[in-house]
Amino acid sequence: MSATRSLQFDVRDVGLAGQGKQRIDWAEREMPVLRLIRERFAVEKPLNGIKLLACAHITTETANLARALQAGGAEAVLIASNPLSTQDDVAASLVSDWGIPVYAIKGESTETYNRHLRTALDYRPDIVIDDGSDVVATLIKERAAQVKELIGSTEETTTGIQRLEAMQAAGVLSFPSIAVNNAQTKHFFDNRYGTGQSTLDGIIRATNILLAGRNFVVAGYGWCGKGVALRARGMGANVIVTEIDPIKAVEAVMDGFRVMPIAEAAALGDIFVTVTGNRHVIDGLHFERMKDSAIVCNSGHFDLELNLVALREMSHPPLNIRPFVEEYKIKASGRRIIVLGEGRLINLAAAEGHPASVMDMSFANQALSVEYLVKHKGELEPGVHVLPREVDTEIASLKLRALGLSIDTLTAEQVEYISRWETGT
Ligand SMILES: NC(=O)c1ccc[n+]([C@@H]2O[C@H](COP(=O)([O-])OP(=O)(O)OC[C@H]3O[C@@H](n4cnc5c(N)ncnc54)[C@H](O)[C@@H]3O)[C@@H](O)[C@H]2O)c1
């Protein structure tokens, strides 16, 4: 516990560190790419003297990212990117075993979340790792002078990148930000297979329901939606997809799913999951049409995909049935709507988020993005950037090697063929 002596932090109970450390080590076994980066960082110290604020889900995988950044020489402070996703034992271990200041408590109020964010900003970071762009938005809105101290930021998720692009369009993004989510080794795997599996894990842990034979509605057929739909079908559910993008809708049809507007799906669904990054995708008029005991949850970044304000207004006060399960009885019809995880990301609220094996690649991208920002300090234009393609390819190559797999390489004849235009029919 010596590491905690002079450290400022706000976690539930430092006494939980033992269990947290064991779980962090367990996740590390599934994160070989991040381990290789950590080992290189420990030798090269590319982040020496860098103050870093990481706003992330405080999970075992994030702890391993923090270890890698610390090995690289960074002084990191961590805050939760969501009030319900913190693993209190992990937060305790980071403080106690690694001496990293953490401000995160599972179930913290919005006021505490905001206080933690501002306390962490008082560390005056050189680099921000953001998840949803709350830190960057707060900096821009409230601390214009401090923005000038920033080397840059990285952004983990789709919703955060949408917000950064809006900031760029509004002319207020005055530093470079790396869109980690846009790396192929991030969204192909994390958003699709990570969200696909862990969303079902969250629903099942919260309810213990059988998915086989149920009508399972997925709102949004982007990277996350594709994963959720694929895995729900694998569990025997009848999947219905709702979309607003005609191309994604055709894709869902050709992948073998029923596609219809949410107003129609509302009456058919037994279970609903939103993964759109959009607001009020399930609204009051949809709740009205749902069957008795329909289960509704969200796996998109913010808790506004379900219009719970409307649901509260049309219902009696909710009953807490079991952890992460609330029942709303609609006054007009007497029908019950079951809301999971208060409409927050269900995979992190009721389960443990993505498995470490996919976070390995997402967080390899985070670590390399931070290194890239430091290496190119002062050289990058303000705005949203993606990591060079070679970095993506390198991460995938390391992952393949870790999986014990090898692939073919182009022969000299093939290199020659694909670089020329003369040969045809
Ligand atoms: N739960 C997690 O752990 C996790 C992981 C990664 C991303 N996310 C979040 O999940 C959300 C989706 O991410 P993504 O990478 O799949 O994004 P994406 O852009 O690939 O997909 C979103 C899809 O939703 C559709 N959509 C938008 N509004 C809609 C509406 N009203 N009805 C139906 N469909 C609508 C869009 O057309 C798009 O196809 C984001 O908020 C992202 O930040 C969550």
Side-chain angles (χ1 to χ4, degrees), residues 347-367:
N347 59 334
L348 282 138
E352 294 171 63
H354 297 352
S357 176
V358 283
M359 293 316 291
D360 187 26
M361 288 189 285
S362 306
F363 285 167
N365 275 292
Q366 281 288 5

PDB file of all heavy atoms in Angstrom, residues 347-367:
ATOM      1  N   ASN A 347     -23.532  -3.797 -21.769  1.00  0.00           N
ATOM      2  CA  ASN A 347     -22.401  -4.740 -21.674  1.00  0.00           C
ATOM      3  C   ASN A 347     -21.421  -4.342 -20.572  1.00  0.00           C
ATOM      4  O   ASN A 347     -20.730  -5.184 -20.017  1.00  0.00           O
ATOM      5  CB  ASN A 347     -21.670  -4.864 -23.017  1.00  0.00           C
ATOM      6  CG  ASN A 347     -21.118  -3.550 -23.517  1.00  0.00           C
ATOM      7  OD1 ASN A 347     -21.621  -2.491 -23.175  1.00  0.00           O
ATOM      8  ND2 ASN A 347     -20.086  -3.600 -24.331  1.00  0.00           N
ATOM      9  N   LEU A 348     -21.377  -3.045 -20.258  1.00  0.00           N
ATOM     10  CA  LEU A 348     -20.475  -2.600 -19.199  1.00  0.00           C
ATOM     11  C   LEU A 348     -21.195  -2.443 -17.868  1.00  0.00           C
ATOM     12  O   LEU A 348     -20.592  -2.578 -16.808  1.00  0.00           O
ATOM     13  CB  LEU A 348     -19.794  -1.297 -19.606  1.00  0.00           C
ATOM     14  CG  LEU A 348     -18.651  -1.570 -20.608  1.00  0.00           C
ATOM     15  CD1 LEU A 348     -18.621  -0.571 -21.713  1.00  0.00           C
ATOM     16  CD2 LEU A 348     -17.321  -1.670 -19.895  1.00  0.00           C
ATOM     17  N   ALA A 349     -22.509  -2.148 -17.924  1.00  0.00           N
ATOM     18  CA  ALA A 349     -23.266  -1.977 -16.680  1.00  0.00           C
ATOM     19  C   ALA A 349     -23.486  -3.328 -15.997  1.00  0.00           C
ATOM     20  O   ALA A 349     -23.235  -3.475 -14.802  1.00  0.00           O
ATOM     21  CB  ALA A 349     -24.596  -1.298 -16.965  1.00  0.00           C
ATOM     22  N   ALA A 350     -23.946  -4.315 -16.773  1.00  0.00           N
ATOM     23  CA  ALA A 350     -24.339  -5.587 -16.155  1.00  0.00           C
ATOM     24  C   ALA A 350     -23.325  -6.700 -16.387  1.00  0.00           C
ATOM     25  O   ALA A 350     -23.411  -7.747 -15.757  1.00  0.00           O
ATOM     26  CB  ALA A 350     -25.700  -6.024 -16.694  1.00  0.00           C
ATOM     27  N   ALA A 351     -22.381  -6.487 -17.311  1.00  0.00           N
ATOM     28  CA  ALA A 351     -21.329  -7.499 -17.524  1.00  0.00           C
ATOM     29  C   ALA A 351     -19.974  -6.797 -17.399  1.00  0.00           C
ATOM     30  O   ALA A 351     -19.875  -5.774 -16.729  1.00  0.00           O
ATOM     31  CB  ALA A 351     -21.518  -8.184 -18.877  1.00  0.00           C
ATOM     32  N   GLU A 352     -18.946  -7.318 -18.033  1.00  0.00           N
ATOM     33  CA  GLU A 352     -17.601  -6.765 -17.820  1.00  0.00           C
ATOM     34  C   GLU A 352     -17.044  -6.053 -19.038  1.00  0.00           C
ATOM     35  O   GLU A 352     -15.842  -5.841 -19.139  1.00  0.00           O
ATOM     36  CB  GLU A 352     -16.648  -7.905 -17.434  1.00  0.00           C
ATOM     37  CG  GLU A 352     -16.980  -8.525 -16.102  1.00  0.00           C
ATOM     38  CD  GLU A 352     -16.148  -9.774 -15.867  1.00  0.00           C
ATOM     39  OE1 GLU A 352     -14.926  -9.679 -15.791  1.00  0.00           O
ATOM     40  OE2 GLU A 352     -16.756 -10.853 -15.772  1.00  0.00           O
ATOM     41  N   GLY A 353     -17.937  -5.713 -20.007  1.00  0.00           N
ATOM     42  CA  GLY A 353     -17.433  -5.082 -21.226  1.00  0.00           C
ATOM     43  C   GLY A 353     -16.826  -6.132 -22.145  1.00  0.00           C
ATOM     44  O   GLY A 353     -17.036  -7.336 -21.970  1.00  0.00           O
ATOM     45  N   HIS A 354     -16.067  -5.646 -23.116  1.00  0.00           N
ATOM     46  CA  HIS A 354     -15.522  -6.559 -24.125  1.00  0.00           C
ATOM     47  C   HIS A 354     -14.472  -7.501 -23.531  1.00  0.00           C
ATOM     48  O   HIS A 354     -13.702  -7.100 -22.659  1.00  0.00           O
ATOM     49  CB  HIS A 354     -14.812  -5.775 -25.217  1.00  0.00           C
ATOM     50  CG  HIS A 354     -15.710  -4.870 -25.993  1.00  0.00           C
ATOM     51  ND1 HIS A 354     -17.059  -4.844 -25.871  1.00  0.00           N
ATOM     52  CD2 HIS A 354     -15.403  -3.941 -26.929  1.00  0.00           C
ATOM     53  CE1 HIS A 354     -17.568  -3.963 -26.687  1.00  0.00           C
ATOM     54  NE2 HIS A 354     -16.584  -3.380 -27.336  1.00  0.00           N
ATOM     55  N   PRO A 355     -14.393  -8.704 -24.067  1.00  0.00           N
ATOM     56  CA  PRO A 355     -13.312  -9.602 -23.662  1.00  0.00           C
ATOM     57  C   PRO A 355     -11.940  -8.988 -23.975  1.00  0.00           C
ATOM     58  O   PRO A 355     -11.779  -8.239 -24.945  1.00  0.00           O
ATOM     59  CB  PRO A 355     -13.560 -10.849 -24.512  1.00  0.00           C
ATOM     60  CG  PRO A 355     -15.012 -10.789 -24.853  1.00  0.00           C
ATOM     61  CD  PRO A 355     -15.334  -9.343 -25.005  1.00  0.00           C
ATOM     62  N   ALA A 356     -10.958  -9.356 -23.152  1.00  0.00           N
ATOM     63  CA  ALA A 356      -9.620  -8.770 -23.261  1.00  0.00           C
ATOM     64  C   ALA A 356      -9.005  -8.993 -24.642  1.00  0.00           C
ATOM     65  O   ALA A 356      -8.259  -8.141 -25.137  1.00  0.00           O
ATOM     66  CB  ALA A 356      -8.725  -9.376 -22.179  1.00  0.00           C
ATOM     67  N   SER A 357      -9.332 -10.102 -25.253  1.00  0.00           N
ATOM     68  CA  SER A 357      -8.704 -10.447 -26.523  1.00  0.00           C
ATOM     69  C   SER A 357      -8.975  -9.404 -27.619  1.00  0.00           C
ATOM     70  O   SER A 357      -8.105  -9.148 -28.452  1.00  0.00           O
ATOM     71  CB  SER A 357      -9.207 -11.825 -26.940  1.00  0.00           C
ATOM     72  OG  SER A 357      -8.716 -12.156 -28.180  1.00  0.00           O
ATOM     73  N   VAL A 358     -10.180  -8.792 -27.623  1.00  0.00           N
ATOM     74  CA  VAL A 358     -10.413  -7.724 -28.621  1.00  0.00           C
ATOM     75  C   VAL A 358      -9.861  -6.389 -28.125  1.00  0.00           C
ATOM     76  O   VAL A 358      -9.349  -5.598 -28.916  1.00  0.00           O
ATOM     77  CB  VAL A 358     -11.888  -7.513 -29.042  1.00  0.00           C
ATOM     78  CG1 VAL A 358     -12.363  -8.560 -29.999  1.00  0.00           C
ATOM     79  CG2 VAL A 358     -12.819  -7.354 -27.892  1.00  0.00           C
ATOM     80  N   MET A 359      -9.959  -6.160 -26.804  1.00  0.00           N
ATOM     81  CA  MET A 359      -9.424  -4.887 -26.280  1.00  0.00           C
ATOM     82  C   MET A 359      -7.913  -4.830 -26.473  1.00  0.00           C
ATOM     83  O   MET A 359      -7.315  -3.753 -26.489  1.00  0.00           O
ATOM     84  CB  MET A 359      -9.794  -4.708 -24.800  1.00  0.00           C
ATOM     85  CG  MET A 359     -11.283  -4.520 -24.539  1.00  0.00           C
ATOM     86  SD  MET A 359     -12.094  -3.389 -25.680  1.00  0.00           S
ATOM     87  CE  MET A 359     -11.374  -1.824 -25.199  1.00  0.00           C
ATOM     88  N   ASP A 360      -7.291  -5.999 -26.627  1.00  0.00           N
ATOM     89  CA  ASP A 360      -5.850  -6.061 -26.901  1.00  0.00           C
ATOM     90  C   ASP A 360      -5.521  -5.183 -28.118  1.00  0.00           C
ATOM     91  O   ASP A 360      -4.594  -4.366 -28.091  1.00  0.00           O
ATOM     92  CB  ASP A 360      -5.489  -7.526 -27.176  1.00  0.00           C
ATOM     93  CG  ASP A 360      -3.993  -7.750 -27.298  1.00  0.00           C
ATOM     94  OD1 ASP A 360      -3.225  -6.963 -26.705  1.00  0.00           O
ATOM     95  OD2 ASP A 360      -3.598  -8.728 -27.967  1.00  0.00           O
ATOM     96  N   MET A 361      -6.315  -5.337 -29.179  1.00  0.00           N
ATOM     97  CA  MET A 361      -6.025  -4.572 -30.402  1.00  0.00           C
ATOM     98  C   MET A 361      -6.469  -3.113 -30.260  1.00  0.00           C
ATOM     99  O   MET A 361      -5.781  -2.200 -30.700  1.00  0.00           O
ATOM    100  CB  MET A 361      -6.679  -5.231 -31.602  1.00  0.00           C
ATOM    101  CG  MET A 361      -5.975  -6.519 -31.982  1.00  0.00           C
ATOM    102  SD  MET A 361      -6.562  -7.172 -33.549  1.00  0.00           S
ATOM    103  CE  MET A 361      -8.138  -7.819 -33.062  1.00  0.00           C
ATOM    104  N   SER A 362      -7.629  -2.889 -29.626  1.00  0.00           N
ATOM    105  CA  SER A 362      -8.098  -1.503 -29.445  1.00  0.00           C
ATOM    106  C   SER A 362      -7.071  -0.709 -28.648  1.00  0.00           C
ATOM    107  O   SER A 362      -6.725   0.421 -28.991  1.00  0.00           O
ATOM    108  CB  SER A 362      -9.423  -1.475 -28.671  1.00  0.00           C
ATOM    109  OG  SER A 362     -10.360  -2.288 -29.305  1.00  0.00           O
ATOM    110  N   PHE A 363      -6.575  -1.313 -27.581  1.00  0.00           N
ATOM    111  CA  PHE A 363      -5.666  -0.574 -26.699  1.00  0.00           C
ATOM    112  C   PHE A 363      -4.231  -0.562 -27.229  1.00  0.00           C
ATOM    113  O   PHE A 363      -3.456   0.321 -26.878  1.00  0.00           O
ATOM    114  CB  PHE A 363      -5.769  -1.100 -25.265  1.00  0.00           C
ATOM    115  CG  PHE A 363      -7.046  -0.642 -24.578  1.00  0.00           C
ATOM    116  CD1 PHE A 363      -7.470  -1.221 -23.390  1.00  0.00           C
ATOM    117  CD2 PHE A 363      -7.807   0.397 -25.106  1.00  0.00           C
ATOM    118  CE1 PHE A 363      -8.642  -0.786 -22.751  1.00  0.00           C
ATOM    119  CE2 PHE A 363      -8.975   0.838 -24.481  1.00  0.00           C
ATOM    120  CZ  PHE A 363      -9.391   0.242 -23.299  1.00  0.00           C
ATOM    121  N   ALA A 364      -3.891  -1.507 -28.094  1.00  0.00           N
ATOM    122  CA  ALA A 364      -2.613  -1.383 -28.816  1.00  0.00           C
ATOM    123  C   ALA A 364      -2.692  -0.107 -29.657  1.00  0.00           C
ATOM    124  O   ALA A 364      -1.742   0.681 -29.716  1.00  0.00           O
ATOM    125  CB  ALA A 364      -2.387  -2.605 -29.702  1.00  0.00           C
ATOM    126  N   ASN A 365      -3.838   0.112 -30.283  1.00  0.00           N
ATOM    127  CA  ASN A 365      -4.025   1.343 -31.068  1.00  0.00           C
ATOM    128  C   ASN A 365      -3.931   2.585 -30.186  1.00  0.00           C
ATOM    129  O   ASN A 365      -3.357   3.596 -30.588  1.00  0.00           O
ATOM    130  CB  ASN A 365      -5.394   1.324 -31.767  1.00  0.00           C
ATOM    131  CG  ASN A 365      -5.345   0.593 -33.097  1.00  0.00           C
ATOM    132  OD1 ASN A 365      -4.728   1.050 -34.038  1.00  0.00           O
ATOM    133  ND2 ASN A 365      -5.978  -0.561 -33.157  1.00  0.00           N
ATOM    134  N   GLN A 366      -4.513   2.508 -28.993  1.00  0.00           N
ATOM    135  CA  GLN A 366      -4.447   3.664 -28.078  1.00  0.00           C
ATOM    136  C   GLN A 366      -2.989   3.964 -27.717  1.00  0.00           C
ATOM    137  O   GLN A 366      -2.532   5.105 -27.800  1.00  0.00           O
ATOM    138  CB  GLN A 366      -5.232   3.392 -26.788  1.00  0.00           C
ATOM    139  CG  GLN A 366      -6.728   3.554 -26.908  1.00  0.00           C
ATOM    140  CD  GLN A 366      -7.170   5.015 -27.032  1.00  0.00           C
ATOM    141  OE1 GLN A 366      -6.371   5.937 -27.119  1.00  0.00           O
ATOM    142  NE2 GLN A 366      -8.477   5.219 -27.068  1.00  0.00           N
ATOM    143  N   ALA A 367      -2.255   2.923 -27.308  1.00  0.00           N
ATOM    144  CA  ALA A 367      -0.870   3.133 -26.861  1.00  0.00           C
ATOM    145  C   ALA A 367      -0.028   3.692 -28.006  1.00  0.00           C
ATOM    146  O   ALA A 367       0.754   4.638 -27.817  1.00  0.00           O
ATOM    147  CB  ALA A 367      -0.291   1.806 -26.355  1.00  0.00           C
TER     148      ALA A 367
END
